Amino acid sequence: MEYLLGDLRRTHYSKDINPEITGEEIQLMGWVHEIRDLGGIIFVIIRDRDGLIQITAPSKKVDAQILDDLRALRKESVVAIKGTVQEAGKAPNGVEIIPAEITLLNLANQPLPMDPTEKVKAEIDTRLNSRFLDLRKANVSSIFKIKANMFKTIRNYFDEEGIIEINTPKLVASATEGGTELFPITYFEKEAFLGQSPQLYKQMMMGAGFDKVFEIGQIFRAEEHDTLRHLNEAVSIDMEASFMDDVDVMNILDNMITRILQSTKENCAEELEKIGFELDIPEGPFPEVKYDDAVDIINSKGVDMEWGEDLSREAEKVLGDTQEGFYFLTDWPSAIKPFYVMPYEDRPEISHAFDLMYKNLEISSGATRVHQYDVLVKQMIERDLNPDGFGAYLKAFEYGMPPHAGWGVGADRLAMVLTGVENIRETVLFPRDRHRLTP
Ligand code: ATP
Ligand code: MG
């Protein structure tokens, strides 16, 4: 047995090995999923990124050395196996490999900190502590394949719409919306924080004349509560467009989400099956509920809510129960929305702001933005923010800022919808919350 890769190269992933290539010599790379030694015959199941494949070694057919090599393997060790494809009705993919050469590339220690074969259910904390092993499970890795397809679909869609990808700084001097939920950083000689949203930068890009931009990037929030839908580090999909209003960007959002749902169904059928989730694709545009009406609905369901308040968790739940899936919640009270949100001209106590909800889960917030310098400063002061702290941002509004609108979608929350998981931690490789900074 060797430990080095040398000239060994994979010829096939497990998923590409089927009865059609019976008789071919192939080279596999993967992890030892299972070993069954029946004396006269040894079965080893090898797992790679895409599935399982069976190695069958009857003592009469293969060299004694191969049998010894197979017996020396331990679960989760990394191996390269050269062999011949043979039909086998009951094995994965209807084939088995008769081994000709086994190369051990790395032996795994025993016992394993957790079982990566889906047979034993482990608590989320145990799983996250050994996340690299947890991710070897097909149902777990499927979530991330679905998420990767989601990002690919988003980038393709934005590209078709002429929306340009940008990257903005995550080390920032001022809060997006005030001081709460911010992580301070101590390196700089002045106050600095981790960015909680690219909001101010994507707006400055409207002043830069880029017209339509998007960013997929990390956001950092010192959340007050520990919930199944909040992390301290999340990925946000942000979009901003000039010469558009809230209705225009709601349409873009609706189209993007519908595209993602369709492409998940089309491209990730296997992954959805592995996680046992049936994804519904709604027909037609997402319905809209105005905040005024939402307050009435929530009260009628026995949850007290005054006009002007943000929705409590209970309110989100009872309202969500009245909806099929995705819906827009629109015309929010101006006072509970950030300073950069545009109030209605004829009824300034409400604003051109919307949330996209999926049942009781907030997926996105967006709005027509204020593009007039004076209104922006006035709205900052009304929210007890000091405009001096926003000098670099405000400057962009003095020299030709077009009317614009945009939104931010929580990518990890959207992945929850696509995979049907209840805990946001399931949709993030290495989640960060109050209790977890490693791995
Ligand atoms: P919530 O009310 O659910 O805490 P929010 O209104 O504070 O969310 P926004 O500032 O509107 O969040 O951010 C835009 C989107 O980013 C949200 O709709 C959500 O999908 C996502 N998001 C916000 N905070 C988090 C977080 N802590 N963890 C994961 N996703 C988040
Ligand atoms: Mg929001």
Side-chain angles (χ1 to χ4, degrees):
M1 286 207 208
E2 288 280 342
Y3 281 87
L4 297 174
L5 189 60
D7 293 336
L8 299 168
R9 290 296 178 275
R10 167 189 282 131
T11 59
H12 292 75
Y13 274 106
S14 60
K15 72 166 181 340
D16 303 322
I17 305 175
N18 56 49
E20 278 175 31
I21 58 163
T22 299
E24 267 188 43
E25 176 148 303
I26 56 119
Q27 172 73 67
L28 266 175
M29 306 277 181
W31 286 258
V32 176
H33 184 73
E34 210 179 292
I35 312 170
R36 265 184 301 143
D37 186 351
L38 307 182
I41 189 162
I42 304 174
F43 296 103
V44 176
I45 307 287
I46 300 294
R47 179 188 347 101
D48 64 18
R49 196 182 70 179
D50 295 330
L52 301 174
I53 206 88
Q54 179 173 302
I55 311 298
T56 304
S59 55
K60 286 188 188 136
K61 267 195 178 174
V62 302
D63 284 357
Q65 181 61 48
I66 300 260
L67 296 172
D68 286 348
D69 287 351
L70 287 175
R71 287 200 175 100
L73 293 178
R74 290 186 207 144
K75 277 191 179 183
E76 299 307 320
S77 299
V78 184
V79 290
I81 294 179
K82 200 171 269 178
T84 313
V85 181
Q86 184 169 296
E87 261 193 82
K90 285 182 191 151
N93 296 4
V95 286
E96 60 191 4
I97 310 297
I98 309 299
E101 196 182 319
I102 314 281
T103 309
L104 178 66
L105 292 169
N106 222 333
L107 192 63
N109 281 346
Q110 301 285 334
L112 298 161
M114 66 167 286
D115 177 31
T117 60
E118 288 172 71
K119 281 185 189 147
V120 188
K121 289 254 179 289
E123 293 295 321
I124 184 91
D125 267 322
T126 311
R127 292 175 43 209
L128 291 175
N129 286 340
S130 301
R131 188 60 152 166
F132 69 96
L133 276 174
D134 184 47
L135 288 160
R136 290 186 195 171
K137 294 189 263 185
N139 58 347
V140 177
S141 64
S142 290
I143 294 174
F144 296 94
K145 291 175 185 168
I146 291 171
K147 206 175 178 186
N149 180 72
M150 172 184 96
F151 285 123
K152 185 168 133 189
T153 309
I154 292 169
R155 286 201 163 88
N156 286 342
Y157 173 65
F158 283 152
D159 188 44
E160 277 172 36
E161 296 292 318
I163 306 176
I164 300 173
E165 181 157 13
I166 59 166
N167 300 103
T168 64
K170 306 302 159 212
L171 293 175
V172 298
S174 55
T176 317
E177 301 171 21
T180 59
E181 295 189 355
L182 277 171
F183 287 112
I185 307 171
T186 54
Y187 175 85
F188 300 94
E189 270 158 28
K190 45 185 129 178
E191 212 176 38
F193 308 99
L194 289 176
Q196 56 183 175
S197 154
Q199 181 63 33
L200 307 187
Y201 287 97
K202 61 180 182 164
Q203 288 192 265
M204 285 191 265
M205 292 309 290
M206 299 299 98
F210 272 49
D211 261 28
K212 292 181 273 184
V213 300
F214 79 96
E215 174 164 9
I216 297 175
Q218 251 84 348
I219 56 170
F220 301 91
R221 300 196 180 188
E223 296 287 355
E224 199 181 334
H225 304 291
D226 197 8
T227 79
L228 295 178
R229 61 192 197 287
H230 289 98
L231 289 173
N232 294 129
E233 178 174 345
V235 170
S236 175
I237 305 152
D238 271 87
M239 200 278 302
E240 202 70 24
S242 293
F243 311 107
M244 286 196 185
D245 65 11
D246 45 339
V247 177
D248 297 315
V249 296
M250 279 161 72
N251 282 332
I252 292 177
L253 180 53
D254 188 327
N255 290 338
M256 181 187 86
I257 302 262
T258 304
R259 272 269 204 120
I260 294 169
L261 294 170
Q262 283 163 348
S263 110
T264 306
K265 201 132 202 179
E266 270 169 41
N267 304 331
C268 304
E270 244 175 68
E271 284 77 16
L272 288 170
E273 202 188 304
K274 279 180 185 154
I275 56 178
F277 183 59
E278 186 124 3
L279 185 65
D280 284 333
I281 302 186
E283 271 174 43
F286 302 149
E288 216 180 296
V289 180
K290 288 194 188 335
Y291 174 91
D292 284 357
D293 298 327
V295 175
D296 292 341
I297 296 170
I298 289 160
N299 279 298
S300 77
K301 300 286 171 191
V303 175
D304 286 339
M305 178 181 172
E306 301 250 349
W307 195 97
E309 287 175 358
D310 204 347
L311 271 65
S312 64
R313 187 67 193 135
E314 277 313 303
E316 280 180 341
K317 282 184 179 165
V318 292
L319 183 62
D321 285 344
T322 69
Q323 300 295 316
E324 298 261 317
F326 286 102
Y327 70 99
F328 283 110
L329 190 52
T330 64
D331 299 353
W332 285 77
S334 304
I336 54 169
K337 283 288 164 184
F339 65 81
Y340 48 78
V341 167
M342 182 76 95
Y344 272 87
E345 229 181 343
D346 52 351
R347 203 187 148 193
E349 70 278 14
I350 61 167
S351 62
H352 289 275
F354 60 86
D355 275 9
L356 178 67
M357 306 291 295
Y358 178 78
K359 296 181 181 161
N360 62 48
L361 183 67
E362 182 187 317
I363 301 297
S364 174
S365 285
T368 304
R369 319 300 189 184
V370 174
H371 63 280
Q372 314 95 312
Y373 181 93
D374 298 342
V375 181
L376 211 47
V377 169
K378 179 175 144 274
Q379 299 211 130
M380 281 178 179
I381 293 167
E382 282 168 1
R383 285 162 184 77
D384 287 330
L385 293 170
N386 184 355
D388 293 345
F390 293 86
Y393 166 75
L394 281 171
K395 194 169 162 188
F397 290 76
E398 287 185 276
Y399 305 99
M401 176 62 84
H404 60 279
W407 42 254
V409 167
D412 317 301
R413 288 201 189 167
L414 184 55
M416 289 170 77
V417 177
L418 300 180
T419 56
V421 300
E422 304 269 314
N423 188 341
I424 192 166
R425 289 159 188 77
E426 297 274 2
T427 71
V428 175
L429 289 172
F430 301 103
R432 291 289 174 259
D433 63 29
R434 231 164 226 270
H435 310 291
R436 186 174 287 280
L437 272 171
T438 54

